[in-house]
Amino acid sequence: MSQVPLSHILIVSTALFFIGMYGLFTRRNMITMLISVELILNSVNINFIAFNKYLYPDRLDGVFFTLFIIAIAAAEAAVAIAIFINLYRNFHSIDVEAADELKF
Amino acid sequence: MNLSLLVLMPLITAVAVLFCSRLNGIRWVSLAGATVQLLLSFGLLALYWRERAAGNGAAMLFEYRHAWFPSLNIWYHVGVDGISVAMILLTAFVMEAAILVSWKVESMSKEFFVLLLLLSAGGYGFFLSLDLFTLFFFLEVSVIPKFLLIGIWGSGRKEYSAMKLALMLMSGSALVFIGLLGLYYNTGGAGGPHTFDWLAIAQMHLPLEVQREFFPFLFVGFGIFTALFPFHTWVPDGHSSAPTAASMFLAGISMKLGGYGCLRVAVFLMPDAAKEYSPVIILLATIAIVYGAFATMMQKDLKYINAYSSISHCGFILLGIGMLTGTAITGAVIQMISHGLMTALFFATIGMIYDRTHTRLVERLGGLLKIMPFISTVFVIAGLCSLGLPGLSGFVAEITVFMGSWQRTGEMYRLATILACASIVITAVYILRATGQTIMGPVKDLRYNGLTDATWNEQLAGILLGVGIFAIGVAPFWLSELLAPGVSAIMDHAGKAFTVGKAIIIK
Amino acid sequence: MPNYAYIALIPLLPLAGFVVLGLFGRRYLQRFSGVIGTAVVFVSTGLALWAAYQYFFGTGSTSLALRSHPFIMLKANWLPFSPHLSIDLSAIIDPISVMMIAVVSLVSLMVHIFSLGYMKGEERFATYYAFLGLFAFSMLGLVLSGNLFETYIFWELVGCSSFLLIGYYYDRPTAVAAAKKAFIVTRFADLGFLIGILILSFQAETLDIRTLVQRLTEPGLQLTSITGASFLGISAVSWGLSLVFIGGAGKSAMFPLHIWLPDAMEGPTPVSALIHAATMVVAGVYLVARLFVLYGADPGVLHIVLYVGAISALLAAVIACTQTDIKRVLAYSTMSQIGYMMFALGSLGYTASMFHLFTHAFFKALLFLCAGVIIHQVHSNEMQRMGGLRKTMPLTHACFLVACLAISGIPPFSGFFSKEEILLAAYRANKLVYFIGLFTSGLTAFYMFRLYFSIFWNKPPEGHPHKILLVESIPLVILALGATFAGFIPFSRLMNPDGAPEVGSVFSSMAIAPVALALLGIGIAAYLYRKESDRPAKLASAARGFYTFAYHKFYIDEVYLFVTKKIIFNLIGRPAAWIDRNIVDGLMNLIATVTARISAGIKGFQSGKVQDYVLYFFAGIAGLAVLFIYIYT
């Protein structure tokens, strides 16, 4: 069976990236924003694995990067949830527009 | 004599005041410090005269240098000549009078006196500096205390006035700094080090393009301090909202920092550019003199009258400097000293009147001569000095400027001189209007009948400044002798650039 | 050559009096201040009279040689401007300066003595004498000055003393206004004087009067001709002289700078006698006389002097015929007489002018002092309130009559001799001015005797006899003696511009016309005013238009008020203040407002919303990416 062309995978990851960005820019719910960030990170993961497999098949650098990103994403999600809980306690809402006091 | 003593004395006094806790301690320590400073200034004058009499013909006496930022060739360099000695004496007089007049300041008096002393330290340092960076440093030292003094202890629209004053003076010093950097980077010739040293730059001959480029920055920057039209609008609000001592210092000394800077830095170091720009300077100065005088006529508040009249009188300083003849420049320096004393006296008197009557509006005052004879007499003397009555210092300054300006032939310069002369009539009008309405005439408000005359500290302040005015007015020869070497140094350095021509040759 | 160094004491003693009385008078010396002031001036007068005697009538031929060469005595460098130009305090001894110090100190002494009685009981007695001392110092210094700027210095000081003395009753708004007006009008004239000094000193390269006159009148010098330095077709020296004359005209209340003199009568009457009659107002005449050689060499400017003097003499006489305030009549009379002195100088009648100055000092001061006594008796200045006083005040009556006869030019009183010389000079120079002078002398006699009859006749004698104080009567008698006999002093032998004595004839046929006119004037005045009647009122209504015009002093004051209030204040002063507040300051405020608006506009970027920040991130990265792509391809 022929390999899936690299470009197809890159299109998928790009699409995921921009969907994630759109979600980050547009969604008001903080948890949804977190999910979008995860989407962005995962798209980057796909990119790394794809490049690793297609361009440097005998190396494992991309896989290592991916593993790091997964771990860091998990840690970051934990921290983010902690921040959201604190924000909820102060603003009684998880609407990101509510937390806008650091302004002029 | 170690000149740094003159800068250290106010600083030591300020520190000492910080340690005092009771009002009496604060006041007396400040007064003691200012008196010691006054005595030191007289000592400096005596030593200076002795040196000159002994034949010491150096340009600057009592020099002292110390490396400050050796890598940038910035030194702490101080020294005096006749002009500096006169200005230091002026500062000492005005400071002593200012502290005496502020005897009754009770809210946050410690901070008040500390700021006043810091202000004076800046003034003294400025007149002593021979290194341009040191000069700039002391210039900046004196700006911030003004902002605080006006903003906190002032009256009327004090926050607005303080802000306007500080911002305009800082933009002035920003322009000065650009000019100084221009000088710095254009010295040093082929591979030599750049220098801020005034004496060294004086030896060099700066190329004409460099002079042309940076002279406006320096002149306008310093000029903002001396109410150069059209950047003079900080003066009315700033002086009027300030507390009395701050007004005295502002009008008396601060405005002279600019004149001194224009003369010693801009004109002395860049004579060719000065010659080229002199028509513009003369135009702006004449506008300040005449337009300032007319604007004064319409004012209704005593402090605004004095502030606008300061714009007009400081126009004489700029006119004298702009005319570029030896006599005119001497006149400009005499006017710096005379106006400093006179306007300090005037502001002191207005402050005394305001403390008692709680109004500065001319229409509400009247008949004060009957109620407060001492204050009224001092007011009249200050007014007569302002309008240039012989026997008082204002006359000496003005006629020296007139005679010097007339030396410069050319229709435009003669016209400028005639307009400047015409201002003596306008000055007489507004001074006599103010005097006639406030001092003479029937008593306006019956509540004034119970007011007291000057207290000992106010009398002493008035007498001190009055003695200065009379000393110059009655016997001006000592002052013109003091200033002559400094002025001739400027003229000699300019050399051919300042020959402004003489039409008639008799025999 | 006799030593005249003591002349320096003559102005300095009153100065010491001023300082002592000014500083200590009010508190410590109140009661003795009059005596101290008078004693000081008494010594000065003694010294001055001794100097005059020595100078004019002194030993033998040396005095003649002395008089033709004025010499400078005592020179002290006061303010150097440049190596050859400086203000020196120097004293010049020449005929007019010696004459003037004698006159000024003598009249000053009379006024000091008179004021001992007249101003007794005044609250500010010491201050009054202090100011009188300041005035004496300034005036004596003025006449002795040998340096042109020194003259200016004393000129201004005299103006300041005048201001202080006119405003002596400072709680009266009219007095304050009059003092201000006097100072400002004379200041305006002094501006001309100042610019004139600048021009003349520049052309001659000196401020010393003798050297200046020498340098500017050197034969063959191109300066006074148009080919030399000139502006608008008139030579620089002519400009200088005209401007200096403007200064003199202001101080001497010549048309059109005369408006301050009538108002100056608000001051105490002895002050009017001293300053505004005998001494300060003649300073302008003195200035022209001091520079007479220069004026004589410049016919154009001389014409100005001539006509200004003539117009002032006539105008003032006409106005004086209508005024009802005794002091105002005397003020206009002063202006008229000074006009005589001025046009005498303009006719090159140097001796005549100085002679008239001398005699005028006596009879005018006498008139004013008598007026003071009368005003004290009647408690009013108005002529209508007076009448029939000849029985109640016999001494004053006699003195006033003597003075009126002198001023009308009736022989053998002093005014006759001096006026006759003036008219002679005018006849030689300009016939029109001669006729103006002649007509004016008739008017002078008329209005003076109008005054005399209205005060001392007109109504039946009434009131209790007035007790005149001894200190008031002594000066009156001395001045009356002077007014009577001063005419016999042979001025033409003592005083000439070039020092050579001239023997003038005393009685020429020229003397008949003015005396006849004067007698006619006296006759008309007697007819109208000797008895109370309605003849004056009928005469006034017959010439109603012109009478009202003259009564309101030809509305000159109103013109000045219009120019200053409507034009200078409203069209120049107010816009200047407005422009400064709103445009120049507005520009600074505009800069501040613009900065604030920009700041307000930009601050929206700091919205506090995370998503906005992320957007900015992305925009920045996208921009950088585009930039890098463009740079590296």
Side-chain angles (χ1 to χ4, degrees):
Chain A
M1 123 187 131
S2 56
Q3 261 190 333
V4 177
L6 179 58
S7 51
H8 289 179
I9 303 180
L10 290 181
I11 290 173
V12 171
S13 76
T14 312
L16 265 183
F17 183 84
F18 281 106
I19 292 169
M21 277 192 53
Y22 174 78
L24 186 59
F25 287 161
T26 330
R27 306 293 289 210
R28 291 174 65 162
N29 191 322
M30 288 187 206
I31 313 276
T32 318
M33 279 172 76
L34 184 59
I35 296 172
S36 312
V37 170
E38 294 292 326
L39 265 181
I40 294 172
L41 290 169
N42 278 310
S43 82
V44 171
N45 279 344
I46 297 175
N47 249 7
F48 272 121
I49 301 293
F51 283 132
N52 190 352
K53 175 132 203 303
Y54 281 77
L55 297 179
Y56 301 98
D58 48 343
R59 312 258 304 260
L60 287 173
D61 301 348
V63 179
F64 289 142
F65 259 110
T66 308
L67 288 174
F68 266 112
I69 292 175
I70 293 172
I72 289 172
E76 173 210 326
V79 173
I81 301 280
I83 293 176
F84 294 158
I85 293 175
N86 250 321
L87 279 175
Y88 181 77
R89 286 202 186 129
N90 275 316
F91 294 106
H92 302 293
S93 155
I94 53 169
D95 183 345
V96 78
E97 303 251 314
D100 63 352
E101 288 205 354
L102 278 179
K103 63 181 179 185
F104 60 84
Chain B
M1 165 162 190
N2 192 345
L3 290 173
S4 311
L5 204 57
L6 285 168
V7 179
L8 284 174
M9 195 62 226
L11 291 174
I12 296 173
T13 319
V15 169
V17 167
L18 279 174
F19 284 114
C20 300
S21 49
R22 292 174 311 124
L23 179 61
N24 243 356
I26 298 171
R27 300 195 294 208
W28 283 101
V29 169
S30 315
L31 184 63
T35 315
V36 171
Q37 185 77 357
L38 186 61
L39 292 171
L40 280 175
S41 314
F42 274 116
L44 177 64
L45 180 66
L47 285 169
Y48 177 83
W49 268 335
R50 201 173 60 174
E51 281 288 314
R52 287 289 189 214
N56 186 342
M60 291 285 157
L61 298 179
F62 307 125
E63 279 187 52
Y64 172 77
R65 305 182 84 194
H66 187 80
W68 196 348
F69 297 111
S71 53
L72 293 170
N73 201 14
I74 294 177
W75 293 68
Y76 171 76
H77 189 183
V78 292
V80 286
D81 77 344
I83 302 180
S84 322
V85 171
M87 298 306 291
I88 290 177
L89 209 48
L90 169 72
T91 315
F93 263 84
V94 173
M95 271 311 290
E96 176 89 3
I99 291 183
L100 281 168
V101 165
S102 313
W103 212 248
K104 297 265 170 33
V105 171
E106 275 174 8
S107 70
M108 296 194 280
S109 50
K110 188 192 294 200
E111 287 80 1
F112 183 83
F113 281 102
V114 168
L115 286 171
L116 207 55
L117 288 163
L118 272 179
L119 204 53
S120 72
Y124 290 118
F126 184 87
F127 291 126
L128 291 171
S129 315
L130 287 182
D131 180 283
L132 291 176
F133 189 85
T134 318
L135 186 116
F136 185 73
F137 173 83
F138 282 115
L139 185 67
E140 290 295 299
V141 161
S142 67
V143 176
I144 293 298
K146 283 180 220 166
F147 173 72
L148 291 170
L149 282 169
I150 299 176
I152 303 176
W153 288 274
S155 58
R157 293 204 299 175
K158 51 187 179 160
E159 292 88 5
Y160 167 76
S161 308
M163 190 73 83
K164 188 154 85 169
L165 179 138
L167 288 175
M168 287 181 82
L169 290 184
M170 287 205 141
S171 45
S173 30
L175 290 173
V176 165
F177 195 58
I178 298 175
L180 291 181
L181 285 177
L183 281 177
Y184 180 73
Y185 282 108
N186 280 296
T187 57
H194 299 305
T195 175
F196 268 121
D197 191 79
W198 184 77
L199 286 172
I201 300 181
Q203 310 288 2
M204 304 175 194
H205 180 77
L206 295 161
L208 187 60
E209 296 74 41
V210 169
Q211 286 193 29
R212 248 189 227 149
E213 232 178 282
F214 292 107
F215 182 85
F217 284 107
L218 279 175
F219 199 89
V220 174
F222 278 119
I224 294 182
F225 280 84
T226 318
L228 177 70
F229 182 87
F231 307 111
H232 61 280
T233 49
W234 61 271
V235 174
D237 289 313
H239 287 176
S240 310
S241 309
T244 310
S247 298
M248 289 166 72
F249 191 89
L250 258 180
I253 310 296
S254 232
M255 290 178 89
K256 313 305 175 287
L257 298 178
Y260 185 84
C262 283
L263 185 62
R264 292 276 250 217
V265 181
V267 168
F268 181 63
L269 296 178
M270 298 191 263
D272 306 295
K275 178 86 183 287
E276 276 189 19
Y277 283 106
S278 71
V280 178
I281 300 174
I282 292 171
L283 176 70
L284 292 176
T286 315
I287 295 178
I289 296 175
V290 179
Y291 162 86
F294 273 113
T296 318
M297 272 207 300
M298 295 292 121
Q299 299 305 318
K300 301 195 176 33
D301 177 327
L302 276 176
K303 265 192 147 170
Y304 273 92
I305 291 177
N306 201 20
Y308 272 103
S309 111
S310 292
I311 297 178
S312 180
H313 286 296
C314 285
F316 277 106
I317 300 176
L318 293 170
L319 183 71
I321 295 178
M323 281 290 179
L324 300 177
T325 63
T327 314
I329 293 179
T330 315
V333 180
I334 301 181
Q335 173 74 335
M336 283 202 259
I337 299 165
S338 156
H339 177 253
L341 292 170
M342 182 265 290
T343 200
L345 186 61
F346 224 144
F347 272 119
T349 321
I350 296 176
M352 294 177 210
I353 294 178
Y354 180 71
D355 280 340
R356 289 161 174 77
T357 59
H358 300 294
T359 176
R360 293 190 315 242
L361 293 176
V362 169
E363 59 198 6
R364 296 231 200 110
L365 295 166
L368 293 178
L369 185 54
K370 192 176 294 217
I371 306 166
M372 331 177 187
F374 184 86
I375 297 180
S376 308
T377 314
V378 173
F379 187 99
V380 170
I381 290 178
L384 290 175
C385 183
S386 179
L387 58 82
L389 189 75
L392 300 168
S393 55
F395 173 73
V396 175
E398 285 178 6
I399 55 167
T400 316
V401 170
F402 292 148
M403 287 292 281
S405 307
W406 197 260
Q407 300 295 319
R408 193 157 178 188
T409 52
E411 288 195 356
M412 184 216 161
Y413 306 116
R414 290 284 163 80
L415 179 65
T417 315
I418 292 178
L419 285 173
C421 290
S423 75
I424 63 172
V425 184
I426 314 171
T427 312
V429 172
Y430 66 70
I431 292 285
L432 289 181
R433 263 173 34 127
T435 311
Q437 267 185 288
T438 58
I439 302 295
M440 302 163 98
V443 177
K444 228 359 160 8
D445 191 331
L446 292 171
R447 286 175 298 166
Y448 295 159
N449 275 320
L451 294 174
T452 51
D453 202 359
T455 48
W456 70 270
N457 55 310
E458 294 168 333
Q459 285 185 343
L460 205 54
I463 292 174
L464 188 66
L465 292 171
V467 163
I469 290 177
F470 277 110
I472 302 177
V474 173
F477 39 83
W478 70 267
L479 185 60
S480 51
E481 237 178 79
L482 184 64
L483 301 174
V487 174
S488 47
I490 297 178
M491 298 303 290
D492 291 335
H493 180 256
K496 283 201 285 93
F498 283 179
T499 32
V500 285
K502 192 132 175 21
I504 301 289
I505 299 164
I506 299 198
K507 270 271 206 333
Chain C
M1 185 183 306
N3 187 6
Y4 284 105
Y6 60 85
I7 288 189
L9 277 179
I10 298 178
L12 289 177
L13 284 171
L15 177 67
F18 163 66
V19 171
V20 167
L21 289 175
L23 288 177
F24 307 113
R26 204 157 23 101
R27 239 180 300 167
Y28 309 112
L29 300 162
Q30 184 83 316
R31 277 192 308 147
F32 298 110
S33 41
V35 177
I36 295 176
T38 313
V40 159
V41 174
F42 182 77
V43 176
S44 281
T45 311
L47 289 173
L49 290 174
W50 171 248
Y53 175 74
Q54 244 193 333
Y55 188 76
F56 286 115
F57 306 107
T59 46
S61 59
T62 49
S63 62
L64 193 65
L66 232 54
R67 287 203 299 278
S68 38
H69 296 293
F71 65 96
I72 302 277
M73 178 195 76
L74 314 170
K75 200 166 170 158
N77 191 284
W78 192 68
L79 179 62
F81 292 126
S82 68
H84 53 258
L85 204 61
S86 66
I87 302 184
D88 304 310
L89 293 179
S90 61
I92 191 169
I93 310 292
D94 80 345
I96 48 173
S97 71
V98 175
M99 187 255 310
M100 282 303 283
I101 52 173
V103 168
V104 169
S105 55
L106 187 63
V107 177
S108 206
L109 180 64
M110 295 300 110
V111 168
H112 272 81
I113 298 177
F114 186 82
S115 307
L116 284 173
Y118 192 80
M119 300 294 281
K120 191 149 79 159
E122 278 285 337
E123 198 187 315
R124 294 162 62 223
F125 194 61
T127 323
Y128 175 81
Y129 272 94
F131 290 158
L132 277 186
L134 177 66
F135 172 77
F137 160 69
S138 320
M139 192 68 207
L140 289 166
L142 197 159
V143 300
L144 282 174
S145 318
N147 181 298
L148 199 53
F149 235 128
E150 189 192 353
T151 313
Y152 182 81
I153 291 175
F154 284 112
W155 193 269
E156 292 278 319
L157 283 175
V158 165
C160 175
S161 337
S162 165
F163 169 79
L164 292 170
L165 283 164
I166 297 175
Y168 179 71
Y169 297 121
Y170 62 81
D171 46 5
R172 268 199 263 157
T174 45
V176 175
K180 271 196 305 182
K181 189 170 177 181
F183 197 91
I184 293 174
V185 173
T186 47
R187 204 54 18 160
F188 181 72
D190 293 348
L191 172 65
F193 191 5
L194 180 64
I195 300 178
I197 293 180
L198 292 177
I199 296 176
L200 289 175
S201 64
F202 184 76
Q203 298 296 327
E205 291 204 17
T206 178
L207 281 169
D208 180 57
I209 294 184
R210 247 189 345 157
T211 328
L212 190 129
V213 169
Q214 233 174 3
R215 287 204 188 145
L216 292 179
T217 51
E218 258 176 48
L221 202 54
Q222 290 291 324
L223 286 175
T224 43
S225 75
I226 289 181
T227 54
S230 73
F231 179 68
L232 294 182
I234 303 176
S235 80
V237 174
S238 297
W239 275 108
L241 289 174
S242 322
L243 286 166
V244 169
F245 175 65
I246 291 178
K251 195 67 105 191
S252 290
M254 294 284 99
F255 175 82
L257 295 165
H258 63 280
I259 50 171
W260 63 272
L261 189 59
D263 289 14
M265 299 296 120
E266 291 284 334
T269 311
V271 165
S272 306
L274 179 61
I275 298 185
H276 305 123
T279 46
M280 185 181 97
V281 287
V282 299
V285 178
Y286 181 75
L287 184 64
V288 176
R290 171 60 65 225
L291 298 173
F292 188 69
V293 181
L294 291 175
Y295 279 99
D298 191 335
V301 181
L302 204 62
H303 266 98
I304 300 177
V305 174
L306 180 69
Y307 284 115
V308 166
I311 295 174
S312 308
L314 181 61
L315 187 79
V318 172
I319 297 178
C321 294
T322 64
Q323 297 300 306
T324 53
D325 179 326
I326 179 177
K327 285 181 79 170
R328 286 208 155 63
V329 174
L330 293 177
Y332 281 107
S333 149
T334 308
M335 180 182 162
S336 181
Q337 296 304 305
I338 297 174
Y340 269 94
M341 296 175 217
M342 211 51 108
F343 80 67
L345 284 175
S347 320
L348 293 176
Y350 179 85
T351 317
S353 177
M354 292 295 105
F355 194 15
H356 197 59
L357 199 160
F358 182 72
T359 59
H360 174 262
F362 285 106
F363 54 70
K364 196 42 74 62
L366 180 59
L367 282 168
F368 268 104
L369 292 184
C370 292
V373 176
I374 297 167
I375 293 172
H376 256 190
Q377 167 79 342
V378 181
H379 301 297
S380 158
N381 285 14
E382 289 292 321
M383 267 171 23
Q384 277 100 357
R385 300 274 210 91
M386 307 170 187
L389 291 176
R390 69 187 182 283
K391 293 280 169 45
T392 41
M393 328 171 81
L395 180 65
T396 317
H397 174 218
C399 294
F400 200 90
L401 183 59
V402 165
C404 285
L405 289 170
I407 197 175
S408 307
I410 308 291
F413 295 98
S414 53
F416 163 69
F417 294 97
S418 52
K419 236 184 227 189
E420 195 237 316
E421 289 218 22
I422 292 182
L423 290 173
L424 197 62
Y427 186 76
R428 289 201 203 113
N430 185 318
K431 296 287 191 299
L432 171 65
V433 170
Y434 169 72
F435 282 113
I436 293 178
L438 198 58
F439 178 62
T440 312
S441 62
L443 278 181
T444 309
F446 170 70
Y447 68 70
M448 283 313 298
F449 275 90
R450 163 179 178 257
L451 190 61
Y452 166 75
F453 284 118
S454 307
I455 298 174
F456 294 105
W457 297 75
N458 201 285
K459 297 194 184 100
E462 56 169 52
H464 46 276
H466 173 243
K467 290 205 49 108
I468 190 169
L469 299 167
L470 183 66
V471 283
E472 289 179 346
S473 54
I474 293 178
L476 291 183
V477 170
I478 297 181
L479 288 172
L481 289 172
T484 316
F485 296 112
F488 295 107
I489 297 178
F491 251 70
S492 51
R493 268 203 279 143
L494 300 170
M495 200 166 297
N496 268 295
D498 46 4
E502 192 188 282
V503 184
S505 60
V506 174
F507 283 105
S508 62
S509 55
M510 297 281 311
I512 301 177
V515 176
L517 265 181
L519 288 170
L520 180 65
I522 297 176
I524 298 179
Y527 173 69
L528 289 175
Y529 294 101
R530 194 157 174 276
K531 296 239 177 42
E532 203 164 359
S533 66
D534 61 349
R535 290 181 209 144
K538 280 203 276 198
L539 198 60
S541 60
R544 193 167 344 152
F546 186 74
Y547 181 82
T548 330
F549 205 43
Y551 182 70
H552 284 113
K553 307 162 237 153
F554 295 104
Y555 296 107
I556 299 180
D557 273 297
E558 282 74 5
V559 170
Y560 270 99
L561 266 175
F562 176 78
V563 170
T564 45
K565 287 254 150 55
K566 293 282 182 309
I567 298 186
I568 295 183
F569 276 29
N570 275 349
L571 288 183
I572 305 182
R574 229 174 271 286
W578 187 89
I579 289 176
D580 199 70
R581 193 105 210 127
N582 295 318
I583 297 186
V584 184
D585 203 24
L587 191 66
M588 298 300 145
N589 285 341
L590 184 68
I591 296 177
T593 321
V594 165
T595 315
R597 292 263 175 80
I598 294 177
S599 160
I602 293 180
K603 73 183 177 187
F605 281 127
Q606 294 294 113
S607 61
K609 302 199 176 86
V610 180
Q611 288 170 327
D612 288 346
Y613 295 157
V614 182
L615 202 55
Y616 303 147
F617 251 41
F618 176 63
I621 293 175
L624 275 173
V626 167
L627 193 66
F628 276 123
I629 292 174
Y630 266 115
I631 289 181
Y632 288 109
T633 52

